[in-house]
Amino acid sequence: MDIRPILSTLRRHKTAAALIVFEVALTCAIICNAVFLIENRIARMQRPSGMVENELIRFSISGINEKNGADSLTQSDLAVLRSLPGVKAATVTNQVRYGSSSWNTGLELKRGQPVPTANATTYLGDEQFLKTMGLKLVAGRDFNADEVLSYRKIREPGSDYPIASAIVTRSLADALFPGQDPIGKVFYGWGDSPTHVVGVVEHLLRPTEHFGPASADYSVIFPIQVDYNSGIYLIRTDPSRRQEVLKSAAEALGKNGPVRILDIDNDTLENMSDKFHQTDRSMVWLLASVCIALLIVTALGIVGLASFWVQQRTKQIGVRRALGATRGQILRYFQTENFLLTSIGIGLGMALAFAINLALMRYYELPRLPGFYLPLGALCLWLLGQLAVYGPARRAAMVPPALATRSA
């Protein structure tokens, strides 16, 4: 089809054509970035934490000016928790996924190097840590009971307790020792003594998302046991018995030792995960709603403009029909016209999409927009444009030549 008549017509309707181009460009730019953000949020929610979240209970308790004997009371608490009906395993640790804070440290391959090789979150746990969390050991071994040290003792002034062993995640092992077997390798992350990697787990996410997705799975576990005052009890049980065990654990710990204060945030890990990702879910629904609204507005704009042009060109259409133009040719004319406007809008929208993404990268530390989102967005808008213009174009093609030539 010769597009010169189409371009000539568009030059006579510059304002209306520019509005459609601008609308398509804005829609293309926003939708490409919004879909990218939606995909990132969904990927973050679906990222495996490494833990058996549906079996875990978080439990915290603190003493009232009670510091002496905290280590022995912690051991007594763990013995009580592990003896409760329905409890598979129990441990005490310094932090947990979906918490409000994160212990982090720089890991070095050589002592005193200017820049750490990697930054990782630090979990402290005993020989039942992996079993309680349900972590999958993919290489090496678990901690032995005689390797576990007291956090209180190693923090005493003048103490010198080397942390000889550690377990790391697979992604952290790849960052520290790319292409090598990490078992037996040495790094520095606690004091001046070297630490040997004795095991590798598949996944264990950081408690928070502050360090971004690239290092979200950089975690190291040291065989150190914190006491109940500064630690968190984790209890593993059957999913159907979580509330029962949560209640019985509160009663058992309340009776074990002096009067202590229960944390009001004691909860299942599944509920904590649900609260943690509430903002992500809200953002996904909001962005999806914006995308749908933009597509509807753009489609209505195309329909409205095409309908207006059909009404304005009724006589022109009739003349063309009288000169032998078929209904198919009239239909293709309007579809081609819309395709040209949409293509110009998509071209401008792609440039605007990259500009928006650069701003998001600069101010919100988001990753770069992958190139494949742009052709997908273009294809979506091309299809939308053709579907939106089909109704008015079909009505134009159905105009009788005689009726059109009699119209004003």
Side-chain angles (χ1 to χ4, degrees):
M1 176 182 289
D2 188 0
I3 65 171
R4 284 178 296 178
I6 299 176
L7 295 176
S8 177
T9 302
L10 292 178
R11 280 196 294 268
R12 293 195 298 270
H13 299 84
K14 294 178 181 178
T15 302
L19 287 174
I20 290 298
V21 169
F22 176 76
E23 189 174 26
V24 171
L26 188 62
T27 300
C28 178
I30 293 177
I31 284 183
C32 286
N33 280 282
V35 171
F36 177 50
L37 291 175
I38 289 172
E39 190 274 334
N40 277 340
R41 295 282 178 162
I42 293 176
R44 187 163 76 173
M45 289 189 289
Q46 294 179 341
R47 189 167 49 205
S49 67
M51 305 180 296
V52 283
E53 295 182 11
N54 65 333
E55 299 182 20
L56 289 175
I57 298 170
R58 172 196 183 277
F59 205 94
S60 292
I61 189 170
S62 57
I64 304 175
N65 297 323
E66 186 68 37
K67 301 297 182 181
N68 295 328
D71 283 343
S72 59
L73 186 52
T74 301
Q75 292 292 346
S76 176
D77 285 343
L78 288 173
V80 168
L81 292 175
R82 290 164 182 169
S83 67
L84 292 176
V87 173
K88 298 179 180 179
T91 191
V92 61
T93 185
N94 60 314
Q95 60 184 5
V96 67
R97 174 66 176 169
Y98 313 123
S100 57
S101 63
S102 178
W103 293 32
N104 303 285
T105 187
L107 304 182
E108 304 172 353
L109 299 183
K110 295 181 179 180
R111 194 63 191 155
Q113 65 186 57
V115 180
T117 306
N119 180 283
T121 193
T122 302
Y123 285 94
L124 309 181
D126 59 13
E127 70 278 8
Q128 284 209 21
F129 182 86
L130 266 62
K131 179 181 178 182
T132 303
M133 302 278 271
L135 303 179
K136 183 180 179 182
L137 193 67
V138 295
R141 61 172 177 84
D142 199 348
F143 294 132
N144 297 320
D146 57 4
E147 292 177 296
V148 181
L149 302 173
S150 164
Y151 180 71
R152 183 180 295 276
K153 290 182 179 179
I154 66 174
R155 298 292 292 178
E156 291 177 353
S159 63
D160 184 20
Y161 290 91
I163 313 302
S165 59
I167 296 173
V168 300
T169 55
R170 192 204 301 267
S171 60
L172 179 57
D174 291 339
L176 291 174
F177 316 106
Q180 305 176 52
D181 181 2
I183 302 303
K185 292 292 191 299
V186 170
F187 67 88
Y188 295 85
W190 193 295
D192 296 326
S193 300
T195 299
H196 294 77
V197 177
V198 299
V200 178
V201 294
E202 188 170 27
H203 295 292
L204 179 57
L205 293 180
R206 291 178 184 263
T208 65
E209 299 285 347
H210 295 158
F211 288 83
S215 62
D217 208 13
Y218 285 11
S219 299
V220 56
I221 310 164
F222 289 112
I224 302 172
Q225 186 177 78
V226 294
D227 63 58
Y228 70 90
N229 279 297
S230 56
I232 301 167
Y233 288 123
L234 287 176
I235 306 169
R236 183 177 181 181
T237 183
D238 292 325
S240 61
R241 304 188 67 175
R242 287 175 297 182
Q243 293 304 320
E244 171 196 340
V245 171
L246 186 61
K247 181 179 178 181
S248 62
E251 294 175 352
L253 291 180
K255 297 176 182 178
N256 189 53
V259 176
R260 291 179 286 178
I261 302 172
L262 297 178
D263 192 333
I264 60 173
D265 293 328
N266 294 332
D267 204 350
T268 66
L269 260 290
E270 207 166 45
N271 286 343
M272 291 176 65
S273 172
D274 185 69
K275 296 173 185 175
F276 186 86
H277 290 303
Q278 180 60 47
T279 302
D280 291 325
R281 286 193 297 273
S282 299
M283 182 63 72
V284 167
W285 283 111
L286 175 62
L287 292 175
S289 300
V290 169
C291 290
I292 293 172
L294 277 174
L295 290 174
I296 292 174
V297 169
T298 302
L300 291 177
I302 293 172
V303 170
L305 182 61
S307 299
F308 173 75
W309 279 350
V310 168
Q311 183 180 4
Q312 292 293 309
R313 303 177 198 173
T314 302
K315 186 173 182 178
Q316 177 186 348
I317 295 169
V319 171
R320 291 195 61 188
R321 290 294 312 279
L323 293 174
T326 64
R327 291 178 177 177
Q329 289 174 327
I330 300 297
L331 185 68
R332 287 193 296 274
Y333 176 92
F334 282 96
Q335 287 180 321
T336 303
E337 183 179 73
N338 177 264
F339 182 82
L340 290 175
L341 291 174
T342 303
S343 298
I344 296 171
I346 288 172
L348 295 175
M350 288 182 177
L352 185 58
F354 270 117
I356 293 175
N357 180 247
L358 289 175
L360 292 174
M361 290 172 60
R362 179 177 179 181
Y363 295 107
Y364 298 99
E365 298 183 358
L366 292 176
R368 181 179 296 276
L369 177 70
F372 68 84
Y373 279 92
L374 297 178
L376 287 178
L379 179 61
C380 174
L381 287 171
W382 274 322
L383 291 175
L384 177 70
Q386 293 303 302
L387 290 174
V389 81
Y390 180 77
R394 189 171 182 274
R395 289 197 298 272
M398 297 297 292
V399 172
L403 179 62
T405 53
R406 288 198 303 269
S407 62

